[in-house]
Amino acid sequence: MNTPLHTGAPAIEAHGLVKHFGSTKAVDGVDLVVPTGSVYGVLGPNGAGKTTTVRMLATLLKPDAGQAKVFGYDVATDSVAVRSMVGVTGQYASVDEDLSATENLIVFSRLLGKSRRESRIRSTELLEEFGLTEASKRPLKEFSGGMRRRLDLAASLIATPPLLFLDEPTTGLDPRTRSQMWDTIRQLVAGGSTVLLTTQYLDEADQLADRIAVIDHGRVIADGTADELKNSVGSSTLQLTPADRSLAPAAAAIVERVLSEPATLSPEAGRITAPMLRPDLLPDVLIALREHGIAIEAMNVQKPSLDEVFLTITGKPADANAQDPSAQEHAA
Ligand SMILES: Nc1ncnc2c1ncn2[C@@H]1O[C@H](COP(=O)(O)OP(=O)(O)O)[C@@H](O)[C@H]1O
Ligand SMILES: [Mg+2]
């Protein structure tokens, strides 16, 4: 399977993708451009249309309208070429519960046309990479949810496709397995793969994704780098604490004067907080404070978090639907 990559074509280019199920507008006109060699995050709450979008891009579901190309190949008219270049997690459904993890991976690899020897070597490598070596001989029916998730990702990597769709790879995983998964995703991209990652978790998108599309009710409502999204809502915040707490009111007055913004003072902590619309004014604040003999104990400039971004653009908190990963399965 050596479908030539169209040089210069983005990994994914989708315009106006639509999929309705009866009266449910699962995907309602999605545009996406995913550059090669990056992690692209599709961030949205449960039911936003993430899985349906992924299934259309991976040729598993026919769009009702719109167009999508993967490395320049049309998902509708060149689906065979597209399929040879993508891997999808969650695809590994036809597993045999009575076979061991190793046997399942080998069967899967043989189905992809690899030799017996090649299949055995790759399966052993992948099981080791995903910390499943010890469990490799156990039948799948004894696997926990976290172990299944890792085996699923391992299976999708047998063919090392140039584009990998990871549909909520860490939902419901305990924090340790989750950070292992993050490391694996980073390694994949370092090795030249392009990853489209869907997630309900803001911190995951923030940590992993080079670019993020925020999706809600089947539509992309914002996109850009994490920094661009953060900059699009409100300003950074300056926090500053004078070494001598009794000077806090005087320091607050200076901050207000230099920034021309209202400063708030928390009297107990002696901490001053003010919006920082122009970060280039920071040195002026520091100089003015020194001129007045006010020493600083602590200071930081905080960008708005992705949580605030989500709240601003969707009007509801990001965790309204998302589960708390720390409250999940710990068996893995
Ligand atoms: N096969 C289907 N039949 C009917 N409705 C569906 C089907 N798949 C998804 N939906 C609906 O489409 C919407 C988007 O679903 P989905 O793409 O799975 O969202 P997400 O992956 O973001 O949670 C939801 O309202 C869901 O209930
Ligand atoms: Mg989904």
Side-chain angles (χ1 to χ4, degrees), residues 32 40-44 50 196-200 211-213 215:
L32 284 181
Y40 195 92
V42 174
L43 171 67
K50 301 183 296 297
L196 185 143
L197 166 88
T198 74
T199 182
Q200 305 184 25
R211 295 187 72 81
I212 299 167
I215 178 170

Side-chain angles (χ1 to χ4, degrees), residues 69-99:
K69 287 183 173 175
V70 169
F71 297 114
Y73 292 90
D74 194 292
V75 295
T77 57
D78 268 328
S79 60
V80 175
V82 172
R83 232 166 284 157
S84 75
M85 291 184 287
V86 303
V88 193
T89 57
Q91 268 291 86
Y92 192 49
S94 55
V95 292
D96 190 323
E97 292 283 317
D98 292 315
L99 291 182

Side-chain angles (χ1 to χ4, degrees), residues 8-332:
I12 299 172
E13 194 167 7
H15 294 291
L17 281 183
V18 172
K19 188 74 200 179
H20 294 179
F21 296 107
S23 59
T24 307
K25 296 176 174 173
V27 175
D28 198 21
V30 159
D31 299 330
L32 284 181
V33 179
V34 178
T36 54
S38 62
V39 179
Y40 195 92
V42 174
L43 171 67
N46 230 334
K50 301 183 296 297
T51 299
T52 307
T53 301
V54 163
R55 289 175 59 79
M56 286 191 283
L57 294 173
T59 75
L60 303 170
L61 195 63
K62 221 169 120 50
D64 292 339
Q67 199 205 30
K69 287 183 173 175
V70 169
F71 297 114
Y73 292 90
D74 194 292
V75 295
T77 57
D78 268 328
S79 60
V80 175
V82 172
R83 232 166 284 157
S84 75
M85 291 184 287
V86 303
V88 193
T89 57
Q91 268 291 86
Y92 192 49
S94 55
V95 292
D96 190 323
E97 292 283 317
D98 292 315
L99 291 182
S100 71
T102 306
E103 288 162 338
N104 265 294
L105 281 188
I106 289 175
V107 167
F108 198 70
S109 175
R110 297 282 285 151
L111 287 174
L112 288 168
K114 309 230 176 233
S115 74
R116 196 180 302 273
R117 183 168 175 277
E118 210 180 347
S119 299
R120 190 166 297 279
I121 292 170
R122 187 79 183 122
S123 301
T124 308
E125 273 173 11
L126 285 167
L127 288 166
E128 192 174 321
E129 190 177 327
F130 287 90
L132 293 169
T133 303
E134 236 168 87
S136 63
K137 294 199 168 60
R138 301 223 302 263
L140 217 65
K141 60 187 172 206
E142 293 174 15
F143 270 39
S144 71
M147 289 159 77
R148 282 166 188 270
R149 199 73 64 85
R150 281 182 275 157
L151 186 65
D152 180 40
L153 184 52
S156 67
L157 293 177
I158 284 177
T160 50
L163 172 63
L164 200 59
F165 292 99
L166 303 181
D167 192 12
E168 297 200 31
T170 69
T171 297
L173 292 187
D174 65 278
R176 189 178 57 84
T177 313
R178 195 168 171 235
S179 74
Q180 275 177 3
M181 195 69 101
W182 287 4
D183 289 342
T184 305
I185 294 169
R186 289 192 184 103
Q187 280 170 24
L188 284 170
V189 177
S193 297
T194 303
V195 170
L196 185 143
L197 166 88
T198 74
T199 182
Q200 305 184 25
Y201 304 127
L202 290 156
D203 63 325
E204 183 158 283
D206 203 358
Q207 298 259 348
L208 284 178
D210 299 297
R211 295 187 72 81
I212 299 167
V214 182
I215 178 170
D216 202 24
H217 301 294
R219 288 176 163 275
V220 175
I221 52 175
D223 71 325
T225 65
D227 276 346
E228 283 167 2
L229 292 176
K230 288 174 189 174
N231 289 338
S232 71
V233 295
S235 55
S236 301
T237 307
L238 170 69
Q239 286 192 350
L240 189 147
T241 310
D244 180 349
R245 301 284 195 276
S246 71
L247 295 175
I254 292 168
V255 169
E256 285 200 342
R257 182 169 53 73
V258 177
L259 296 182
S260 309
E261 294 289 339
T264 41
L265 175 64
S266 123
E268 321 82 62
R271 190 175 61 230
I272 298 146
T273 308
M276 185 99 218
L277 286 115
R278 289 184 47 197
D280 58 306
L281 288 178
L282 186 59
D284 298 349
V285 173
L286 299 178
I287 290 165
L289 289 169
R290 188 156 64 189
E291 280 169 356
H292 288 81
I294 300 176
I296 294 163
E297 183 186 280
M299 189 199 71
N300 72 66
V301 178
Q302 197 106 44
K303 282 200 164 198
S305 70
L306 259 184
D307 287 273
E308 292 168 67
V309 174
F310 203 87
L311 182 61
T312 308
I313 52 191
T314 67
K316 56 180 190 270
D319 58 4
N321 298 291
Q323 301 140 300
D324 175 5
S326 63
Q328 305 288 317
E329 172 207 54
H330 288 272

